[in-house]
Amino acid sequence: MQNLSLREKIGQLIIVRTTGYIFDHQIRYPAWEATQPQLKKWLQELNLGGVILLGGSCSEIADRTKQLQSWAKTPLLIAADIEEGVGQRFSGATWFPPPMALSTIAQKNPSLAREYAKKMGEITAREALAIGINWVLAPITDVNNNPDNPVINIRSFGDNPDLVADLATAFIQGCQEYPVLTTAKHFPGHGDTATDSHLHLPQINHSKKRLQQIELVPFQRSIEHNVDSIMTAHLLVEKLDAINPATLSFSILTQLLRDELNFSGLIVTDALIMGGVAKYASQEEIAVKALLAGADILLMPENPEVAVSSIERAVKDGILSESRIDESLQRIAHAKNKLSFAQPNLLEISSEEDRKTVKEVLKLSMSFQGKMLTKTVAKGINLVVVQDLLNCDFLDRQAPAITIPEKYGYQTQLFDQRNLHLAQYQEQPILLQAFIRGNPFLGNGGLTDSAKTFYEQLLEFDRVEGMIIYGSPYILEWFLPRIKENTPWVFTYGQMPQAQELTCQRLFNLSTNDDIDKGNFL
């Protein structure tokens, strides 16, 4: 970091998104992901501080991270949103259920839940390093105390601030077994909103005292456990700053986070292309205001060249000082000194023991009720409903949610929940499998009004032989009063094939080599 020009210093404060795939024709989000020549130019000419990756298999990511590091003038921070394990984003690695699954385990055995949270952190950090990722953008430390939250939802460890703090810090401790960076997010707390900040700017009206009692608790505990970075939230917290989103607020990032909570690590913005902040000001203003507020790293500015030039101009005009840039640069240098830049090692990926840990978490957080299905039916329908047919990488032709029901006479019909029609489902026996959870960009916590109407009418018939709900306990709560007493059902937080296999085994009463009865009876 010595002897850098002002422009090269500023470049270190920028993280851009790129695809995990090697070839340009594989880019899935061209508005956000640069081509290879463009990215190579940015890394070399702007001296960018790092990248955030999305998409690809573990073997592809291992090659990709080596390629990116070879292009860089300064060793890169390579980040990924892997809140549910590396397999959540990169196929082949260990894929955990959402963090809220651990809160269900904690209801009966808090110490066991903490043990699993620590294991989750250990496995995630080890596998991240194995493919060249050195910055884990997890854990979520938001307290999800609003069931209608469309974006945090089951990504949170729950609705109890002390439990969220316990599990998040256990995750952090697990990660600390390896030389990676950890991240508590989204400050000062995105849990009590009904608006997705990917789309719009949510508003929170709570007093500072209330924030200190609930939202800030997990962040304070994470700081005490030496979390490396804290990610901002694109929120308008009116009692703290009635004008600026938290990401651009000096009173929130510097006065509250730095001064009152004594956080000395990296402050990283959430993605600056998100609607919650991008609609607030121009990209030039956003880049400068984020640094004035106290951020060290700008994640995914709309255009990194524009961001660097805007900050450089602000320094020359006296709006920002070069010493302010140097402060952030020192924190980044300190963080990078912690890291290992060793070559990826795919032998560290998805061991049998890791998969066993995931299986235990899935089983212990599973709920089920009713007499299980044992008979083969004639012309049955396996009605599989997803939130977005073009974005359901947990399903394919050989997925357990498809193949196991077929053995019992249920032939698959796959639908997007935005396009459901009842008329055809009045005569045949039906197995209903609903994959529903809160996710970014959906704009709702899961069920649309039209989907609710469809399910209510469907459940009125006597043709629904059984149900499996994958994802959100809030969706299960909606279904429970509408499910007929003699209809068996199973719930799991996970949507991945491993969760499908366990729930289908449960529903069809298939014997396994271990104790299925560890599941959580309601």
Side-chain angles (χ1 to χ4, degrees):
M1 298 278 189
Q2 301 293 324
N3 303 316
L4 297 179
S5 68
L6 174 60
R7 194 167 178 84
E8 289 173 322
K9 289 180 182 180
I10 295 168
Q12 282 292 294
L13 279 55
I14 307 291
I15 303 284
V16 297
R17 175 162 152 176
T18 184
T19 179
Y21 300 110
I22 298 295
F23 303 108
D24 282 345
H25 67 264
Q26 294 176 289
I27 289 175
R28 297 179 62 192
Y29 303 96
W32 299 339
E33 298 169 351
T35 62
Q36 310 294 23
Q38 182 68 77
L39 181 60
K40 187 174 183 179
K41 177 185 175 186
W42 285 345
L43 291 176
Q44 295 178 346
E45 293 185 4
L46 298 180
N47 191 37
L48 295 183
V51 299
I52 177 172
L53 290 170
L54 182 67
S57 67
C58 285
S59 59
E60 287 173 306
I61 295 299
D63 287 337
R64 181 71 163 142
T65 54
K66 285 190 287 186
Q67 178 191 59
L68 293 171
Q69 292 288 13
S70 73
W71 289 349
K73 293 178 64 174
T74 307
L76 296 171
L77 296 172
I78 299 184
D81 280 310
I82 41 180
E83 304 149 9
E84 299 168 24
V86 174
Q88 176 193 10
R89 300 296 184 192
F90 311 111
S91 59
T94 304
W95 191 352
F96 282 90
M100 195 175 283
L102 295 180
S103 70
T104 295
I105 297 174
Q107 290 172 12
K108 293 185 176 181
N109 193 332
S111 63
L112 181 61
R114 285 193 294 272
E115 180 182 329
Y116 280 126
K118 185 177 180 184
K119 280 188 179 181
M120 187 176 176
E122 289 175 3
I123 293 167
T124 300
R126 169 168 44 81
E127 293 192 344
L129 279 181
I131 57 176
I133 293 169
N134 52 36
W135 191 359
V136 176
L137 297 180
I140 293 264
T141 44
D142 299 309
V143 181
N144 196 77
N145 43 19
N146 186 337
D148 294 324
N149 193 314
V151 62
I152 302 303
N153 210 278
I154 58 174
R155 296 166 62 201
S156 163
F157 284 107
D159 59 7
N160 181 298
D162 292 318
L163 178 60
V164 171
D166 285 346
L167 298 177
T169 53
F171 182 95
I172 291 167
Q173 288 175 312
C175 287
Q176 288 168 342
E177 299 290 326
Y178 298 90
V180 299
L181 301 183
T182 53
T183 309
K185 59 186 187 182
H186 306 80
F187 189 83
H190 203 319
D192 197 5
T193 68
T195 301
D196 182 356
S197 56
H198 292 80
L199 304 173
H200 307 288
L201 179 65
Q203 295 187 21
I204 290 181
N205 298 314
H206 301 314
S207 66
K208 186 175 180 180
K209 181 178 180 181
R210 145 67 195 250
L211 293 170
Q212 291 170 330
Q213 293 171 337
I214 296 179
E215 279 77 11
L216 297 182
V217 171
F219 290 99
Q220 180 69 74
R221 292 271 301 279
S222 296
I223 292 169
E224 293 166 1
H225 283 77
N226 300 313
V227 71
D228 299 289
S229 63
I230 290 181
M231 181 180 285
T232 69
H234 303 323
L235 302 169
L236 188 66
V237 188
E238 294 185 338
K239 297 298 191 296
L240 301 181
D241 188 330
I243 299 173
N244 299 294
T247 297
L248 309 180
S249 171
F250 181 84
S251 64
I252 293 175
L253 300 190
T254 296
Q255 294 177 337
L256 177 58
L257 181 53
R258 283 271 184 241
D259 299 340
E260 291 188 40
L261 299 185
N262 296 313
F263 180 61
S264 59
L266 290 172
I267 298 178
V268 55
T269 71
D270 206 345
L272 295 178
I273 49 82
M274 291 166 56
V277 70
K279 296 177 181 178
Y280 177 82
S282 69
Q283 59 174 313
E284 293 88 350
E285 291 177 283
I286 289 170
V288 173
K289 285 178 71 70
L291 293 181
L292 286 170
D296 299 303
I297 290 181
L298 309 184
L299 178 63
M300 293 175 61
E302 184 177 338
N303 184 315
E305 293 183 78
V306 171
V308 170
S309 296
S310 300
I311 296 165
E312 183 181 36
R313 187 163 53 252
V315 172
K316 291 178 178 177
D317 291 345
I319 298 170
L320 274 168
S321 66
E322 188 166 356
S323 63
R324 170 67 190 84
I325 305 300
D326 289 338
E327 286 177 21
S328 290
L329 195 65
Q330 287 178 337
R331 293 189 188 104
I332 293 167
H334 177 76
K336 288 188 175 183
N337 283 337
K338 172 184 175 177
L339 301 177
S340 166
F341 293 95
Q343 292 295 304
N345 178 11
L346 291 175
L347 294 178
E348 298 289 335
I349 294 293
S350 199
S351 71
E352 192 60 37
E353 187 64 26
D354 297 340
R355 288 183 57 80
K356 181 175 178 287
T357 298
V358 173
K359 187 175 184 179
E360 291 170 1
V361 173
L362 285 167
K363 281 193 170 185
L364 290 170
S365 60
M366 183 192 300
S367 303
F368 45 85
Q369 185 168 283
K371 186 177 180 181
M372 300 299 108
L373 304 180
T374 57
K375 296 179 180 179
T376 300
V377 300
K379 297 182 179 180
I381 295 174
N382 177 21
L383 179 58
V384 179
V385 184
V386 299
Q387 287 167 291
D388 184 353
L389 280 172
L390 298 179
N391 188 26
C392 54
D393 54 2
F394 45 83
L395 282 177
D396 59 34
R397 190 65 194 84
Q398 297 304 315
I402 308 301
T403 58
I404 293 177
E406 280 185 351
K407 296 176 182 177
Y408 289 84
Y410 293 93
Q411 299 304 308
T412 301
Q413 294 187 16
L414 178 61
F415 286 92
D416 189 305
Q417 76 161 351
R418 295 165 294 187
N419 188 29
L420 292 167
H421 303 287
L422 188 65
Q424 64 206 80
Y425 302 118
Q426 297 186 20
E427 300 299 330
Q428 296 164 276
I430 297 168
L431 166 63
L432 174 61
Q433 297 191 77
F435 291 81
I436 310 171
R437 57 173 286 182
N439 263 325
F441 294 104
L442 290 177
N444 62 70
L447 288 174
T448 62
D449 290 339
S450 61
K452 289 178 181 178
T453 300
F454 171 83
Y455 290 127
E456 285 175 335
Q457 293 175 350
L458 180 68
L459 293 171
E460 281 295 310
F461 299 125
D462 289 328
R463 308 307 296 165
V464 178
E465 303 290 329
M467 287 182 58
I468 303 177
I469 300 169
Y470 301 88
S472 171
Y474 306 120
I475 303 301
L476 174 63
E477 289 176 8
W478 183 87
F479 270 109
L480 283 178
R482 295 165 175 84
I483 300 174
K484 294 197 173 182
E485 188 175 349
N486 61 344
T487 302
W489 58 264
V490 186
F491 167 77
T492 179
Y493 285 90
Q495 296 186 331
M496 69 291 258
Q498 202 171 357
Q500 298 169 31
E501 182 177 24
L502 289 172
T503 53
C504 286
Q505 286 174 344
R506 176 65 252 178
L507 186 65
F508 289 102
N509 203 29
L510 300 175
S511 61
T512 58
N513 294 326
D514 49 11
D515 182 13
I516 193 74
D517 291 328
K518 288 181 181 178
N520 177 34
F521 282 94
L522 289 188

